[in-house]
Amino acid sequence: MNNIPLVPALLFKAATSALENLGFSSERVVEKAGVPLWQYHESHALVPGSHFYSLVGQAAESLGVEDFGYLVARDTPITALESFGQQIGRSLTVYEAVKTMGGLYAQMSSIDRFWSVEDGEGLWFLRKRIQAADRAGRQQVELGALHYMIQTVRLGAGPDWVPEKICLEGKSFSAMNRLSDFGSVAICERQGVSGFLIPRSLFARSIPAERSSTLPHNATKLFSEAPPSEF
């Protein structure tokens, strides 16, 4: 039996929140994508990655929102992704935040992979898709993932930081040219992975404590749910 790639429902919820912010009915778009409506009600559940790809692809194509993946990451930024984002926000430096994101994400999702490789120039922050997906869904998830990656570096580098060059796993698409994160950046297509180089000068850039000073909105519920003492 083949394993089914999974993604945390909190990303699914981020996508439906972006739809609502755009003025669209998330239930109608989810239903049109052929995805069960119940999936996004429990943030800590795991849902099939194919459903997430279908949702973002359907939103981009049927609603004509070419930068939908970017809007998902913009409307629910990295530190707002509940306990996952809070742990990243508690990192002391940019270097630690990048390493923390890759390590934590691998424990909660299997549709793609984030990792980093250090070389003489700096740290390559990389992502690769694992699950097959239609073109629209594939591009939108890649777009959102890159925005989350840039947000992670910006925790210490500042809100205006952008990489000098971005690599894409596949082809570029027109929506990227209109976005501030990508419009002035050199784009390299068909690299097999997506990502960018973080200069060595940013490694030790500290992350302000206020970025992680607030607890997740469901902290009381989380802290009250001790694991059972027996099976």
Side-chain angles (χ1 to χ4, degrees):
M1 177 182 292
N2 295 327
N3 292 330
I4 299 176
L6 300 172
V7 65
L10 63 87
L11 292 179
F12 202 94
K13 289 183 68 175
T16 57
S17 294
L19 284 170
E20 298 291 346
N21 290 340
L22 289 169
F24 298 111
S25 167
S26 60
E27 286 82 1
R28 292 185 63 181
V29 178
V30 169
E31 186 176 10
K32 190 172 183 180
V35 176
L37 291 173
W38 53 264
Q39 294 221 49
Y40 59 90
H41 291 300
E42 178 51 62
S43 299
H44 299 285
L46 293 174
V47 299
S50 58
H51 291 179
F52 182 60
Y53 277 117
S54 296
L55 172 60
V56 295
Q58 182 66 48
E61 286 197 325
S62 66
L63 304 177
V65 185
E66 294 182 348
D67 58 348
F68 182 71
Y70 178 88
L71 297 179
V72 172
R74 184 200 68 181
D75 293 353
T76 306
I78 189 75
T79 53
L81 290 174
E82 303 190 10
S83 58
F84 169 69
Q86 289 290 321
Q87 290 185 68
I88 295 170
R90 283 194 290 269
S91 301
L92 297 179
T93 64
V94 168
Y95 187 91
E96 183 183 341
V98 170
K99 292 293 186 178
T100 298
M101 179 186 174
L104 288 177
Y105 191 81
Q107 301 173 31
M108 55 189 277
S109 175
S110 57
I111 67 166
D112 50 7
R113 177 188 172 205
F114 293 90
W115 75 102
S116 54
V117 179
E118 193 169 345
D119 69 7
E121 298 180 67
L123 187 72
W124 283 97
F125 194 7
L126 303 169
R127 174 212 178 246
K128 185 172 181 62
R129 176 175 50 86
I130 295 174
Q131 183 174 26
D134 63 273
R135 184 170 180 268
R138 183 171 68 243
Q139 286 185 328
Q140 294 303 320
V141 173
E142 183 175 26
L143 185 61
L146 282 167
H147 191 28
Y148 275 131
M149 293 163 73
I150 291 174
Q151 287 180 24
T152 301
V153 179
R154 285 177 174 171
L155 292 175
D160 299 323
W161 182 85
V162 292
E164 292 185 0
K165 179 174 67 175
I166 287 178
C167 298
L168 294 180
E169 190 169 354
K171 292 182 63 178
S172 181
F173 46 107
S174 59
M176 298 187 72
N177 299 326
R178 304 193 310 271
L179 302 173
S180 58
D181 282 1
F182 309 109
S184 60
V185 178
I187 303 292
C188 298
E189 300 180 315
R190 303 178 187 274
Q191 299 299 301
V193 296
S194 54
F196 50 82
L197 179 70
I198 303 170
R200 188 171 293 275
S201 60
L202 294 180
F203 284 9
R205 192 74 64 86
S206 62
I207 295 175
E210 60 266 21
R211 296 188 186 277
S212 58
S213 60
T214 58
L215 292 171
H217 71 277
N218 60 342
T220 301
K221 178 175 182 290
L222 288 174
F223 296 160
S224 66
E225 292 180 343
S229 57
E230 56 187 29
F231 184 73

